[in-house]
Amino acid sequence: MNLKQIRDECWDIARETSEMDSDRLWSLNEMNAYINRIYRDIARTTKIIIDSTTVSTCQITLSSATPIFALSPLILSVHDCYYCATQTSVPISKKLIYVPVICLGVDPMLITLHATPTYYSLDNATGNITFDTIPLSADVTPLLKLRVSRLPLLDLIEDIDIPEFLVKYHDYFKYGVLWLMYSKQDSEAYDLAKASDFYQMYQLDIAKLVDNNSYTRNTYGHKQGSQPIQKSNGEQ
């Protein structure tokens, strides 16, 4: 389903039949805002958008000056992390091991050892990924490659825009959007009973999607214990 189809389905369920946008209880712009809010909420709650190819979120060019590098703010969880470089004319790709920030055993700012990294930590307070060592200056084109769960790259703007996750999950938009529609602070649109009912149905759908996503990761060999970005004090 594209943006227009999702919007039209929700209008139809709410019996919004006005053709003129000025006559609608929920304008086109409001509907698009609701849809994109639910789009981000589905992605954030279920972590269903899994990516390993988008350069802006899944690849980081490294330097030999620091063990600390910034992650894309769109990243929700890191599933796999590989250190890639060329050492003495030989390409390497080393899978790094996740440890909590506190397990590095030293303030990241005090790390001075230059070596091929083995461990990495994630810190939500800074949005950074930290290695246990500083990459070797002799490494050619050192690159960090990630497989992550992330937020959508872009909002749905044009009518033909399609959500990034599978079509079979597009139906999960409607109850969330209807919840927001009936929560609108407007004397004609606001309906607490309907908003509550649609919110409950939306939450049930999301719970099913979370369960299905976990099953899919196990079925296809993806580790279920992927690492959320963590704060320095261990909170998520």
Side-chain angles (χ1 to χ4, degrees):
M1 297 174 71
N2 59 34
L3 175 61
K4 183 179 185 303
Q5 290 169 327
I6 297 169
R7 187 175 63 236
D8 287 348
E9 179 183 33
C10 295
W11 268 336
D12 287 344
I13 294 173
R15 298 182 180 179
E16 177 61 272
T17 58
S18 300
E19 295 295 330
M20 296 292 293
D21 204 49
S22 58
D23 295 332
R24 293 181 174 128
L25 288 179
W26 305 278
S27 69
L28 184 146
N29 286 339
E30 285 177 318
M31 292 296 293
N32 289 354
Y34 295 154
I35 290 167
N36 279 296
R37 178 177 168 184
I38 294 300
Y39 186 21
R40 291 187 293 273
D41 187 65
I42 291 173
R44 184 180 295 106
T45 305
T46 67
K47 300 181 180 177
I48 198 172
I49 302 177
I50 299 176
D51 187 6
S52 61
T53 59
T54 304
V55 172
S56 61
T57 54
C58 301
Q59 292 187 21
I60 301 174
T61 300
L62 306 176
S63 77
S64 59
T66 176
I68 306 170
F69 301 91
L71 291 173
S72 165
L74 298 178
I75 293 177
L76 301 168
S77 296
V78 175
H79 302 294
D80 293 302
C81 178
Y82 290 87
Y83 179 81
C84 303
T86 299
Q87 294 180 343
T88 60
S89 302
V90 179
I92 67 161
S93 179
K94 179 180 180 180
K95 186 173 183 178
L96 304 186
I97 301 169
Y98 169 80
V99 295
V101 174
I102 195 171
C103 292
L104 284 178
V106 63
D107 185 331
M109 299 301 294
L110 300 179
I111 293 173
T112 58
L113 176 64
H114 286 260
T116 300
T118 299
Y119 301 100
Y120 73 95
S121 293
L122 304 167
D123 190 344
N124 188 52
T126 59
N128 292 335
I129 185 168
T130 301
F131 301 143
D132 58 321
T133 63
I134 298 173
L136 292 164
S137 58
D139 286 357
V140 178
T141 60
L143 191 68
L144 189 67
K145 294 185 177 181
L146 306 171
R147 189 171 67 85
V148 303
S149 288
R150 60 165 173 77
L151 293 171
L153 296 175
L154 298 169
D155 279 353
L156 305 174
I157 298 173
E158 304 296 333
D159 280 353
I160 60 173
D161 287 351
I162 298 173
E164 290 189 65
F165 40 80
L166 296 175
V167 173
K168 65 180 180 180
Y169 299 131
H170 292 183
D171 195 46
Y172 288 63
F173 274 90
K174 63 184 177 186
Y175 294 141
V177 175
L178 286 159
W179 156 51
L180 296 179
M181 290 168 67
Y182 285 111
S183 298
K184 179 182 177 180
Q185 298 303 298
D186 175 271
S187 59
E188 293 184 77
Y190 181 72
D191 188 316
L192 178 59
K194 288 183 178 180
S196 298
D197 287 345
F198 283 124
Y199 176 76
Q200 292 300 322
M201 288 188 280
Y202 173 60
Q203 291 302 312
L204 288 172
D205 272 354
I206 291 299
K208 288 187 292 185
L209 190 51
V210 168
D211 288 343
N212 183 74
N213 198 29
S214 297
Y215 171 77
T216 300
R217 290 184 192 177
N218 286 337
T219 301
Y220 290 93
H222 303 328
K223 64 178 182 181
Q224 193 171 9
S226 53
Q227 303 305 327
I229 310 299
Q230 273 195 336
K231 294 183 180 180
S232 301
N233 61 4
E235 296 179 358
Q236 294 181 9

